[in-house]
Amino acid sequence: MTIEHLSSNKSFGGWHKRYSHPSEVLNCNMQFAIYLPPQASEGQAVPVVYWLSGLTCTDENFMQKAGAHRIAAELGIAIVAPDTSPRGDQVANDDGYDLGQGAGFYVNATEAPWNRHYRMYDYVLTELPALIENLFPVSNKRSLAGHSMGGHGALVLALRNPDRYQSVSAFSPISRPTDCPWGEKAFSAYLGDDRSHWEAYDASLLMSGATAFVPALVDQGSADDFLAEQLKPEALVSAAKESGYPLHLNMRDGYDHSYYFIASFIEDHLRFHAAHLV
């Protein structure tokens, strides 16, 4: 596979690197960032946390704002941050920030024109890890984390593929996308009007019926402007009780939806993953 190196920055003894590559799954060029801790330069095959970002973000937001490199270097964990959607002049788009480019929602679109490119579920599940594990000094031990739309994506991928991931965590996830404005808009466009097709991408519905478990950590800020209308963490709590799912959800008093919130608790999340990536 052709892969183009875009930039490198040394950070806490490791390297933050950005790359571009042609994606067969998404039918366009994609960019991703990877943080390789110092241990990766010492002959170790390090485990990977895949970080899925939220609406309007790219691969750059988390790497620049979350302050994750220091603790990842200490723990010997690589972090991979893909873009949030396919990109390019030929890729379908929408004038709204919550549909189209920058808003892939980590689903496999079935409806035209979106189905030509918008298959972020398969990209994160199979194509990107295959590339990472082939080209970089990493192991096949994987965990998922994400924020908002990306928190939704991380939970869904882990819930549907418990054999592929050691753990999953999320900040402010869209917990019930089949019953909130963001999810209803995106799912109706990408998946069509038949709501039964949406259920495969709803973390709360998946968790309520789960029989195979991946340890899950969720942090939610009490001052999040999107809490009641869009995020609905109570649906996750109810689902976990129903199935006995190993979910630990923290309500963080006074925190909002921003990267200040993520930076405040990213160390907790990486240590959580490290405990399961051994």
Side-chain angles (χ1 to χ4, degrees):
M1 177 181 290
T2 303
I3 184 169
E4 179 185 359
H5 175 243
L6 301 176
S7 65
S8 292
N9 303 95
K10 195 164 187 180
S11 180
F12 291 97
W15 288 93
H16 167 244
K17 301 184 177 186
R18 299 183 67 237
Y19 293 90
S20 173
H21 74 100
S23 167
E24 293 183 7
V25 168
L26 301 177
N27 195 27
C28 66
N29 285 331
M30 288 294 288
Q31 293 184 2
F32 68 87
I34 183 169
Y35 177 72
L36 292 166
Q39 296 85 343
S41 299
E42 299 167 359
Q44 295 187 34
V46 298
V48 183
V49 171
Y50 289 85
W51 173 269
L52 307 184
S53 290
L55 289 165
T56 75
C57 291
T58 69
D59 65 279
E60 296 184 277
N61 297 75
F62 175 81
M63 292 298 196
Q64 294 180 6
K65 296 180 178 181
H69 291 178
R70 178 187 62 82
I71 189 64
E74 175 190 326
L75 297 173
I77 294 174
I79 303 174
V80 173
D83 202 346
T84 51
S85 78
R87 305 271 183 175
D89 293 340
Q90 80 281 16
V91 175
N93 202 7
D94 185 83
D95 289 337
Y97 75 94
D98 51 359
L99 184 68
Q101 295 186 37
F105 269 84
Y106 306 100
V107 304
N108 286 339
T110 57
E111 302 298 300
W114 312 102
N115 56 351
R116 177 170 169 76
H117 299 284
Y118 285 75
R119 300 184 61 84
M120 287 296 293
Y121 178 89
D122 281 352
Y123 177 71
V124 174
L125 178 66
T126 57
E127 187 178 35
L128 182 60
L131 182 153
I132 297 297
E133 289 166 21
N134 184 52
L135 296 179
F136 297 97
V138 302
S139 72
N140 62 358
K141 292 288 186 71
R142 315 173 195 95
S143 290
L144 284 161
H147 173 230
S148 194
M149 178 186 73
H152 137 77
L155 289 169
V156 166
L157 280 154
L159 286 159
R160 289 178 57 175
N161 305 277
D163 58 323
R164 285 186 62 83
Y165 300 106
Q166 308 302 118
S167 54
V168 61
S169 73
F171 291 87
S172 316
I174 303 172
S175 299
R176 190 69 188 272
T178 60
D179 187 30
C180 77
W182 278 339
E184 289 173 339
K185 178 178 180 178
F187 285 9
S188 60
Y190 297 146
L191 305 173
D193 293 331
D194 186 344
R195 286 176 172 254
S196 67
H197 297 162
W198 302 4
E199 294 176 2
Y201 298 103
D202 186 303
S204 294
L205 295 178
L206 292 168
M207 187 173 286
S208 67
T211 56
F213 301 151
V214 177
L217 171 66
V218 172
D219 273 87
Q220 173 63 60
S222 67
D224 193 317
D225 290 340
F226 305 111
L227 179 59
E229 184 180 29
Q230 303 282 15
L231 305 180
K232 303 188 176 183
E234 66 277 2
L236 271 185
V237 173
S238 177
K241 289 180 179 178
E242 186 173 346
S243 63
Y245 205 91
L247 169 70
H248 184 80
L249 191 147
N250 298 308
M251 286 297 298
R252 302 294 190 177
D253 185 49
Y255 285 90
D256 58 21
H257 201 71
S258 71
Y259 265 86
Y260 296 109
F261 173 43
I262 296 171
S264 296
F265 298 102
I266 190 62
E267 180 171 346
D268 293 351
H269 282 237
L270 289 179
R271 291 195 183 280
F272 165 78
H273 290 301
H276 295 285
L277 284 166
V278 293

